[in-house]
Amino acid sequence: MLLTQSCMIGIRAALAVSVQGKDDIEAYRPIRQIADALDVSFHFLTKILQVLTHAKIMESYKGPNGGVRLAKPPEELFLIDIVEAIDGTSVFSTCLLGLPGCGVETPCPVHDEWAKSKDQIERLFRETSLAKLSDDTCEKLLRF
Amino acid sequence: MLLTQSCMIGIRAALAVSVQGKDDIEAYRPIRQIADALDVSFHFLTKILQVLTHAKIMESYKGPNGGVRLAKPPEELFLIDIVEAIDGTSVFSTCLLGLPGCGVETPCPVHDEWAKSKDQIERLFRETSLAKLSDDTCEKLLRF
DNA sequence: AAGATTTAAGAGTCTGTTGTCAGAAATAGT
DNA sequence: ACTATTTCTGACAACAGACTCTTAAATCTT
Ligand code: FES
Ligand code: FES
């Protein structure tokens, strides 16, 4: 798997918050409600969202009517921000064969081909905003 | 990481055998010698190569002058064979967000973009033969 | 036949990820 | 002030992947 379980859930949660926040971006969404929508463990999701709040990607509020919301408008939040916060960026910088220091020194036999795919994947994460994803999700009634 | 540690070592080992077998493709290469060349644990490599021999990608022979060799000419062995044997093919068929059944049902919001990268990666593994890799390795004196 | 070499197999350890839980802290409503 | 709600924190169990170790089995050399 390219991303860890935590990271995939983190992205889906951010997307859910973004979609639900379309009408009122200021409102806090309870974690329990998000967990139900994504059909994942409430406690596990709590852990993941804590990482995202520490990374200033989300903001949280305790107590009744509390929950989490995006810390920035979804146009300014990109997938790579979430991946970096949860998984780190190693995916986009490591050698496909696990050799140390991809690209900088002598390349490995698969480097040239892999570099193409790697760049494309990195661009995908770097250029895809939460706004675009939530728009698509609503328009085409996609699942998440 | 896209591939597991075991899988990356498996590919590097197959490549090492292919390179060393350029002069005598019939010869068995001792696992200990391969482990030294790749700088990995002998016992761990043994485990990985057992999987490859069971998958009929390599053949082994016990006793003095024993070891492993490719079961087929390197022109007929592709990276995907090794990945399938060790990691399975899940990388090329799973949803980037971890949702069940990528593509077949309603796609997820990142499906269209991810499908492109996924196909490119799959093609890379499916079309890259051990022969090509070992040729490149020898020509350009690459590391593995 | 005996001993050395080398892979096969299985059990066991270690580590990081996944997932659960209980209690603390903050907040709103009454 | 009290209670209900909700996130925060730390501890911990369960699991998978990574890695080690020991013993067995096969084969060659002498
Ligand atoms: S050095 Fe191996 S992929 Fe870049
Ligand atoms: S359905 Fe998510 S990547 Fe295909």
Side-chain angles (χ1 to χ4, degrees), chain B residues 30-31 47 54 60 62-64 67:
Chain B
I31 297 179
K47 272 280 148 61
H54 285 152
S60 65
K62 294 177 185 175

Side-chain angles (χ1 to χ4, degrees), chain A residues 143, chain B residues 93-115 118:
Chain A
R143 61 173 177 170
Chain B
S93 57
T94 56
C95 169
L96 185 60
L97 300 185
L99 298 172
C102 171
V104 294
E105 307 167 36
T106 318
C108 76
V110 294
H111 179 81
D112 288 353
E113 289 297 321
W114 172 238
K118 209 173 45 168

Side-chain angles (χ1 to χ4, degrees), chain B residues 9 15 18 24-25 29 33 35-36 51 57 61 64 66 68 103 119 129-130 132 137-138 144:
Chain B
I9 294 178
L15 184 53
S18 179
D24 183 3
I25 198 164
R29 312 288 162 182
Q33 182 182 317
D36 288 346
V51 175
I57 292 171
Y61 199 82
V68 295
D119 287 352
S129 71
L130 231 44
K132 175 182 179 302
T137 302
C138 295
F144 56 94

Side-chain angles (χ1 to χ4, degrees), chain A residues 23-81:
Chain A
D23 41 340
D24 182 3
I25 199 163
E26 300 277 314
Y28 291 98
R29 312 288 164 183
I31 299 180
R32 176 143 264 137
Q33 182 182 316
I34 304 170
D36 288 347
L38 302 183
D39 197 32
V40 300
S41 152
F42 163 71
H43 290 291
F44 190 35
L45 180 59
T46 298
K47 270 286 158 58
I48 297 167
L49 290 181
Q50 275 173 27
V51 176
L52 292 184
T53 53
H54 285 150
K56 310 262 196 244
I57 293 172
M58 291 195 179
E59 289 167 349
S60 65
Y61 198 81
K62 294 179 185 173
N65 303 321
V68 294
R69 69 181 182 194
L70 298 180
K72 291 191 269 185
E75 289 78 15
E76 297 173 26
L77 279 174
F78 296 86
L79 287 186
I80 192 150
D81 300 322

Side-chain angles (χ1 to χ4, degrees), chain B residues 78-85 89 92 122 125-128:
Chain B
F78 297 86
L79 287 186
I80 192 151
D81 300 322
I82 300 172
V83 175
E84 272 187 4
T89 47
F92 310 122
E122 180 166 4
F125 282 93
R126 199 173 286 285
E127 295 176 359
T128 304

